[in-house]
Amino acid sequence: MTSPTEHMLEALSLAKKGLLTTRPNPMVGCIITLDNKIIGRGWHKKAGDGHAEVNAIQDVFDNLGPQAQSSLERSEMYVTLEPCSTSGQTPPCSEAIKKHGIKKVYIASRDSSQNGFAKKEKDIEIVEGLLEVEARELNRGFFSRIEKNRPFITAKIATGLDGGIALGSGESKWITSAVSRKDVHKLRATNEAVFTGTGTILKDDPSLTSRDSGYERDEIKQPLIVVIDRNNHLTGTEKIFSTDAKTLIFTSEDSKIKSPKSEICIMKKEDLGNLKQIMKYLSNEKLINTVLVESGSNIFDSLLAEELIDELVLYQAPKLLGKDRKTFSKFDQTSRKLSTIDLEVSSISDSGEDKKIILIPNYK
């Protein structure tokens, strides 16, 4: 006999289909059952389109025809996120649930941006918290934006065994394997913004786009490229301005950049170092849920010192870069506070000849 947990697991699996297409909305999946058998499935496919619950109800009508309405009145719904109770681009899902007489709803995680479906709907039996941890992890960026007022921030680092990211000469290309480099393209595709500084842009001139992720090209929305240009060094001729990606440049004076795909945000020079304020801007003004940091040590150390990094993805190659190597961090030259940060190993996996290590900072 299929358990409620198994039904919710399938709803979570459906939700993941919206990984690249629902932003800035959360990914949501929904299952409708009758006598413990699935009669409808739905997921949120794209921002502005129907929500998971409405799509699942429509699937019941497509599957059962004339018997759909009477079946819905005896059915149970499993949804990975609390149904919306406010109108946006689409009508509230709570109204559709009530309209069709669904009497029991299992909800994996609450949504504090809504008006409280569980509290308002007294005529519906509601079970909350089924696979809540898994559901919150799926939409960790969305929850970070609405609860912390900033995106979920992942820092990507590629090093040798000795922590080096470049030789003393500055040469840094292809430290890691082709498999790891492809995985970075996947990281870019699944994050809504890539964050860096002018040091990285001027030294490496990267495009910072996702080109070899393995995802379908027509599903990929290139991440917004966000650059702090403290001293107005960018000219508009760099590679980031010649791709399909949009750019957002934080600088302290009128910029030389004239690209139609670029937005210039002018701030006081002293405010350009306030990374909490910049992340709040990305959250509130751009509705960015997730940020991937690909930067040098200055930005990395500043983010870590301000306890803004939520996850580190470290690609470690079996190489030694030697005595004069450049490293991804300059802990001994910055805040003493950095030495107190423990890193919890979340997972270790092979990435070609490299190791991919996911680490969670434990700020004290």
Side-chain angles (χ1 to χ4, degrees):
M1 184 175 180
T2 305
S3 68
T5 298
E6 290 172 302
H7 288 316
M8 190 63 82
L9 282 171
E10 181 161 358
L12 286 166
S13 181
L14 288 173
K16 292 174 185 177
K17 293 186 176 186
L19 176 65
L20 302 178
T21 55
T22 64
R23 62 186 67 166
N25 294 349
M27 293 170 273
V28 184
C30 182
I31 293 289
I32 299 175
T33 66
L34 177 63
D35 299 330
N36 209 33
K37 295 180 180 178
I38 295 175
I39 59 173
R41 295 176 173 86
W43 68 95
H44 185 37
K45 297 179 180 179
K46 185 179 179 181
D49 287 357
H51 288 187
E53 300 93 320
V54 173
N55 290 340
I57 289 170
Q58 182 58 52
D59 193 46
V60 174
F61 278 94
D62 293 343
N63 293 332
L64 301 183
Q67 286 77 44
Q69 181 55 45
S70 62
S71 298
L72 283 168
E73 292 169 3
R74 295 177 288 125
S75 70
E76 297 182 348
M77 174 180 282
Y78 296 79
V79 62
T80 58
L81 185 67
E82 179 181 344
C84 62
S85 51
T86 55
S87 295
Q89 291 179 288
T90 60
C93 296
S94 57
E95 295 302 317
I97 294 169
K98 289 190 291 184
K99 174 184 174 182
H100 294 289
I102 298 171
K103 298 300 183 186
K104 187 171 185 177
V105 179
Y106 290 84
I107 299 171
S109 58
R110 288 187 177 183
D111 179 357
S112 61
S113 70
Q114 296 299 318
N115 288 334
F117 176 81
K119 295 178 181 177
K120 290 171 60 178
E121 306 305 332
K122 303 301 182 183
D123 296 330
I124 301 174
E125 182 182 353
I126 297 171
V127 179
E128 295 184 282
L130 180 61
L131 297 183
E132 180 179 11
V133 171
E134 293 82 352
R136 286 186 62 87
E137 175 65 19
L138 178 66
N139 284 306
R140 61 190 189 179
F142 171 76
F143 285 115
S144 182
R145 177 166 65 82
I146 65 173
E147 295 174 359
K148 295 182 180 180
N149 215 22
R150 68 164 176 83
F152 185 95
I153 302 171
T154 299
K156 181 228 90 179
I157 304 166
T159 77
L161 292 174
D162 52 6
I165 62 172
L167 301 175
S169 63
E171 184 179 349
S172 61
K173 288 189 175 181
W174 316 142
I175 291 175
T176 53
S177 68
V179 174
S180 293
R181 297 197 297 273
K182 182 170 183 174
D183 199 61
V184 171
H185 283 277
K186 193 171 185 178
L187 264 181
R188 290 175 184 166
T190 55
N191 279 273
E192 297 167 37
V194 173
F195 186 74
T196 192
T198 48
T200 297
I201 300 297
L202 297 176
K203 180 170 68 73
D204 297 330
D205 197 20
S207 69
L208 298 178
T209 55
S210 177
R211 304 178 300 280
D212 186 26
S213 65
Y215 292 119
E216 293 293 330
R217 182 179 291 272
D218 59 353
E219 285 194 340
I220 294 175
K221 182 178 180 181
Q222 291 295 347
L224 175 70
I225 298 172
V226 182
V227 186
I228 296 181
D229 187 8
R230 181 183 296 272
N231 296 306
N232 203 26
H233 285 313
L234 299 181
T235 65
T237 61
E238 295 82 6
K239 283 183 182 177
I240 59 171
F241 302 109
S242 62
T243 72
D244 293 335
K246 293 181 179 180
T247 55
L248 174 60
I249 312 300
F250 289 92
T251 188
S252 59
E253 54 188 273
D254 287 340
S255 175
K256 310 178 190 76
I257 300 162
K258 304 302 179 185
S259 169
K261 292 181 293 185
S262 296
E263 180 181 345
I264 309 301
C265 184
I266 298 176
M267 303 174 68
K268 294 179 181 178
K269 183 169 275 191
E270 57 267 28
D271 290 337
L272 290 174
N274 188 338
L275 297 181
K276 286 184 179 178
Q277 181 176 333
I278 288 174
M279 290 301 170
K280 183 177 179 180
Y281 180 92
L282 293 179
S283 173
N284 293 350
E285 301 300 324
K286 299 299 176 184
L287 300 181
I288 297 293
N289 293 316
T290 55
V291 167
L292 176 65
V293 178
E294 297 193 54
S295 72
S297 59
N298 288 340
I299 285 179
F300 175 82
D301 286 352
S302 294
L303 287 166
L304 202 57
E306 293 191 45
E307 301 185 357
L308 290 174
I309 294 177
D310 298 298
E311 177 182 81
L312 279 76
V313 179
L314 172 65
Y315 298 92
Q316 190 174 59
K319 297 177 181 178
L320 297 172
L321 276 70
K323 178 181 177 182
D324 295 323
R325 68 192 182 277
K326 296 182 182 297
T327 59
F328 65 87
S329 176
K330 298 177 180 177
F331 287 161
D332 58 332
Q333 299 174 32
T334 56
S335 169
R336 290 182 61 189
K337 178 182 178 182
L338 294 175
S339 65
T340 68
I341 296 174
D342 295 324
L343 298 173
E344 176 187 342
V345 177
S346 176
S347 66
I348 301 176
S349 58
D350 292 327
S351 182
E353 61 190 30
D354 310 325
K355 291 295 182 184
K356 178 182 177 181
I357 307 170
I358 298 179
L359 302 154
I360 310 299
N362 181 18
Y363 300 109
K364 295 180 180 178

